[in-house]
Amino acid sequence: MLRVHAARSFRDAASSISGAPNSYPRGEAYGDSRRNQAIISLLNVLNEFSNESSLDSDIILPPTLEDDDPTVDEKLQIAGSESFNKLERRIENLDKELRNFANAARQLGSSIGILSSSFRLRERLAKLLFLFRENAATLFPRKISRQPREAPIVHQWTEQRRTEKQMFPKAHTDPESFPDQIAGFAEDVVTFLNCLNEFPEFTDEAVNTSMRTFECDLKYWASCLQEYKGQFRYPAVQRYIHDLTSEIGEHIDIITVNLSMFIEIGVPTIRFAQQHAASNLLNLSTVATFFSVVTASTLQFSYQLTDGVLETSVNAFWFSSLVFSIAAAVNSLLGLTWKQAVYRSPGHKVPWWVLIWIKRSPLVFLVMSVACFSVGLMLFTYATKQGFVTSTITTVFTVVTSFGLAVVSAWFVSERRVFVRYHGQIWLDDAINEAINEVIHRVLRFSLVVAMRDIIRWCLFAISGLLRRVPLKFPDMITRIGHRDRTLPTMQEGPPMDDLSHRRDISTSACSAFTEHPTSMKGLASEDSKPSHPAIARQRFRGAVRSIIVMQQQKAGRPMMPQRIPSFDWNSAVGMSPTRPSSVDLDAIRGPRATLIPKLKTLEPVQDLSVHTALVRHLQFSPSGKYLATSSWDRSSVIFRVEDAFSIHAILVHVGGFIGQVAWSDSGALLLTRLPRGIKVWTEDGFCKRTIERPHSVSSVVWLPANETQFLSVEGSRVLKLDIKGRVLDSYHFGGIQLHNVAVTPDGQRLLGVGPLLAAPNGMHPSRTTRVEKCIVVLNMETRTFENQTPVFNDVRDITMSKRGGNVLISFEHKTHPQLWKMELVRDTKDRENPYAQTARLILRHTYEPTVRVDFVGPSYFGGVDDQLVLCAGKAGDIHIWERDTAILLHYIRPQAFGGDLTCVAWNHSTDDPCMLATGSHDGTVHIWRTPMWDCSSDGGSYLEHAGMLGADQHTSSPILGSPPVPGSSRGHR
């Protein structure tokens, strides 16, 4: 529109210039007239160009809502800048919480570790933010500006905080340092968490869980990014890194919230616990000091008593008590000073004997001081010859208090030991009761064993005595029993009653085996054609028993043979900104588009094929356009004959499971149908040539180009080359990638696959809330080397290559827009021996933006004879058709009123006159769409005029068809 207004203003200026009188003299006007003629010629050219642009806007493009709609590139620039700005705000919030935490932690003891780790974490965040800004500024230069290679840092160890400008080293600002920086970020997060857990007074599981999860994901991303060394300046890898900012930001938000709660709850709790421990040490020091004073006072009455052993013992105990009390007071003050020190080492960095001395020695010394004083006091009563009552009472009380002190001390020590052994799961009382019960149980078991031994010994003695008294005649009894067996068969030869259930199973299996293999019994009978009379009797008896068992089963209503239940496999197969448009001739673009838009507007459903009874999973037209093959979850595939009225050509019935895909060969003579664990090869007339069973699940089948006997089977991480007889000709392994689908270049030299990674190169897996990395891989089938590996952020579903190669269409799950990638062959710089060696490289060309949010179903496909279109279907029934090379939306079919959601779409590539496509639905119906036939001999003006009239009639007659508001990409590529 701006160009049209400019052209109109130029036309007005031209008319004013051409019509203005010449008021200059002839000599001066000669030069001016030449300039005026040049300006008028320029304005005429602009006038013609404005007419062409207005014709282009009237014919080529559907109507738009407003003139100020942003283009697709502008939308993506805005979305990308908003995503980065959101990450920047999240990092700033985390940095703010880290500063608050550092200020609050200064009041805690042993906070030097948490202060230094928080500083390193903030410094790492600044470096990562700089790298993400550089990456985003490369992708979205109009919205995000670059930052100078410096960042503010805060020295937290100084008393006065000051902000300085520190230049980042060049190694830290290089995009190739992304994996190292992310791995370093994971290490800094773990270091901060370990320093946080060094405070035993408070443990927050929410902080631990969130940081451990973030660490796992950071290491996973760092390991995956190591595979793209040397490609961090490629747009595809830059977009993938930019897409990671959303998941990194979510982790940062969770850590920020948990850290804020830790500051509000955890820091006061730790401070209170440390103050409580300090007050205990202070009280202990006070008591020890007071007791030392008492001990020193009592020594004044005994230090002169040195006559006997008793007097000497009194002085020894009291002097020892004085030493212990002084040591308890001094060690209490020492422990108090150490606990309140900011620079003290954490507990796991201090030797065990130092920790025991600082933490336990004050209380131990005080207890020993009290014990020595009590013993000395008791002896002092006897040394000074006090009365009998005084000495006795002092002795008794000293023994009782000393015993209580020893028991309580032992109880404290035992509690500590039980806590360490059982990790706080049981109490000391429970452990004591359990030990008592164990002792009682062992005593009772020993007594029972002794009693049983005596009883068994007495029984054996009694039995041996009886055997000596009674004479036995075993040989005669055995002879009589043997003679009786030869004369008459007994019930011992038949099956025992307790074994009837086992015999019933055996008889049933034998009957089933006889029905399936009737010749087996004849073979057995021929081996023993002349049985003896006892054998015949035994067989008759066994047959009678079996007949009785069968009659009992029939009376009970139980079946003779277990019914065979068929087991079916219910598994079914289930970017950002475009590159700048290249300089293409305007007439070369306008011609095909001007022809396609009116023709696509006449697309309408002409026939509904209700053959299937379940969801239509996939459908495809044959290369010649004569047939349409469908696959459904009703275990059938149908070949339709493409005519004015579609008719059933053949029905392909499968009994082995659901049909996930159909694939025509290049000539259309053969058809492949994919089962969960097998592939069937059919002729176009519906004759099954071969059923190929596979040991693993088959996710896709692809014919090799210009080959009627070989195709590829995608099975997990491997791609197998098979022939139509089922023989494995070759195998290609894609490492740790779970392939969903593959595509082959037209020359048959390269294989492109898409799918998620099973694990990172270091073996790590992401957390449950993080997406698995997906990628596009290019494998050279001759050299068996990976030429290119491009990461993608969203869940990739399918890959399709155009007929002539070079254009690769990638489909994603759910609401992610399809993308067009360009595969280019560039010189392989790694192969220095061969200067002509080439390698493949993928470049994102377009992201096809729909007009509204669409939940896409099935893969996206190329359309048109030359694959000049891209079409994609939505679950609601809407269909988008874009121009491949410009990503301009040519036609939009609104959601339909058909029964069931749309599941798949296919285009007839054989002809564009008429255009034809087919869609499958959830209820099993196949809808055929077609445009009317046009007379190509008429001129273009009459054709466009007639198409426009028909399109206008369509808008008035059919409310379900029409053109929606075209996104801004139309004017962006105009």
Side-chain angles (χ1 to χ4, degrees), residues 123-181:
E123 190 178 31
R124 184 75 65 180
L125 285 172
K127 294 177 182 178
L128 280 174
L129 182 60
F130 180 83
L131 287 177
F132 279 119
R133 175 179 286 277
E134 290 293 310
N135 185 75
T138 305
L139 292 174
F140 317 108
R142 297 198 299 271
K143 298 296 180 180
I144 299 177
S145 59
R146 297 185 182 273
Q147 182 181 352
R149 297 176 180 267
E150 58 185 13
I153 62 172
V154 177
H155 296 278
Q156 85 283 19
W157 291 320
T158 57
E159 295 296 333
Q160 296 181 355
R161 291 176 296 170
R162 64 181 186 274
T163 303
E164 297 179 355
K165 297 290 184 178
Q166 181 186 19
M167 295 293 294
F168 283 144
K170 186 175 182 180
H172 293 165
T173 58
D174 187 7
E176 297 294 331
S177 65
F178 254 114
D180 299 333
Q181 291 296 327

Side-chain angles (χ1 to χ4, degrees), residues 494-506:
M497 296 304 294
D498 296 337
D499 207 27
L500 287 180
S501 60
H502 303 286
R503 292 292 184 179
R504 181 179 59 194
D505 296 339
I506 294 173

